Amino acid sequence: MVSMTAAAGVFAVAMAMVLTPGPNMMYLVSRSISQGRVAGLVSLGGVGVGLVVYVVATNLGLAAMFAAVPTLYAVIKVAGACYLAWLAWTALRGSRSVFEVSGLQHDSNTRLFTMGLLTNLLNPKMAVMYISIIPQFIDPAAGSILLQGLALGGVQILVGLTVNALIVLAAGSIAMFLSSRPSWIKLQRYMMGTVLGLLAVRLAVDPSRPVPA
């Protein structure tokens, strides 16, 4: 039902966004460095639950909205392209590394999980990811919009959890590596900014339109 092209597109967007520093990455890295890898993984569990909540809630709403108002696709397309362009600009002009070591008090696993969940649910990048970007890769003519959205959301969750888990496990080593190599931080920002900028252009010029349900 979901084409390889659509899955690859979501994979590329998800990879670019998960590697762009945001609230989730900052929280996970700070916890991993300050309290250890287990604390980082527990926090990631909360983030993962938040992702599932977003995928289910967003796709239930999108399926209904697309069926009732097909022209809403054009609005979502513009919003998604603009947001990616803004993320690209933010990445290119940023200077602070998310891997700067900072001390935090030690929290219980319950609090770590809860904070990971809330950090993700209150992260506007995730909201826009599901509402404005993933729908760009849904083809209404290919079957159920809801099932396509859930499948593509699953791709994003898999990418997000895998990459963040690797970052949690390597946070301490990455922080030490980057602390003595500031040029690598700049390279990472330029690469992510370029990828996000190209994706923004791709969405802006995409001529596809949804067909009425």
Side-chain angles (χ1 to χ4, degrees):
M1 184 176 295
V2 174
S3 69
M4 288 300 297
T5 300
V10 171
F11 179 90
V13 173
M15 184 65 73
M17 294 186 73
V18 76
L19 291 176
T20 301
N24 285 345
M25 183 185 290
M26 291 178 184
Y27 179 71
L28 294 173
V29 169
S30 63
R31 282 301 175 189
S32 300
I33 294 176
S34 298
Q35 199 170 333
R37 294 173 176 173
V38 173
L41 291 175
V42 172
S43 301
L44 179 59
V47 171
V49 172
L51 292 176
V52 173
V53 171
Y54 261 130
V55 166
V56 175
T58 303
N59 281 289
L60 287 175
L62 283 176
M65 286 191 297
F66 277 168
V69 189
T71 55
L72 186 62
Y73 182 86
V75 177
I76 289 179
K77 177 189 291 292
V78 173
C82 290
Y83 184 70
L84 282 177
W86 180 81
L87 283 179
W89 170 247
T90 301
L92 291 173
R93 69 181 179 87
S95 59
R96 184 177 180 273
S97 172
V98 70
F99 289 96
E100 290 180 5
V101 180
S102 59
L104 292 173
Q105 67 177 11
H106 282 219
D107 289 322
S108 66
N109 286 344
T110 300
R111 181 172 174 78
L112 290 170
F113 183 92
T114 302
M115 289 302 296
L117 173 62
L118 293 177
T119 298
N120 187 70
L121 291 179
L122 298 176
N123 181 2
K125 186 167 71 173
M126 289 299 98
V128 177
M129 174 74 180
Y130 292 119
I131 295 174
S132 300
I133 297 176
I134 286 183
Q136 317 289 340
F137 300 95
I138 292 176
D139 179 7
S144 171
I145 292 175
L146 174 59
L147 293 181
Q148 288 184 69
L150 292 174
L152 293 174
V155 172
Q156 188 279 326
I157 291 176
L158 179 62
V159 172
L161 292 183
T162 300
V163 173
N164 277 316
L166 294 175
I167 290 175
V168 164
L169 295 175
S173 299
I174 295 174
M176 293 179 62
F177 178 86
L178 293 179
S179 65
S180 60
R181 297 171 177 82
S183 60
W184 282 74
I185 298 174
K186 185 179 295 185
L187 177 62
Q188 183 264 346
R189 289 192 290 106
Y190 287 160
M191 289 179 62
M192 290 305 100
T194 300
V195 171
L196 290 169
L198 291 174
L199 288 170
V201 173
R202 184 264 184 193
L203 294 183
V205 302
D206 182 8
S208 62
R209 294 287 187 277
V211 296

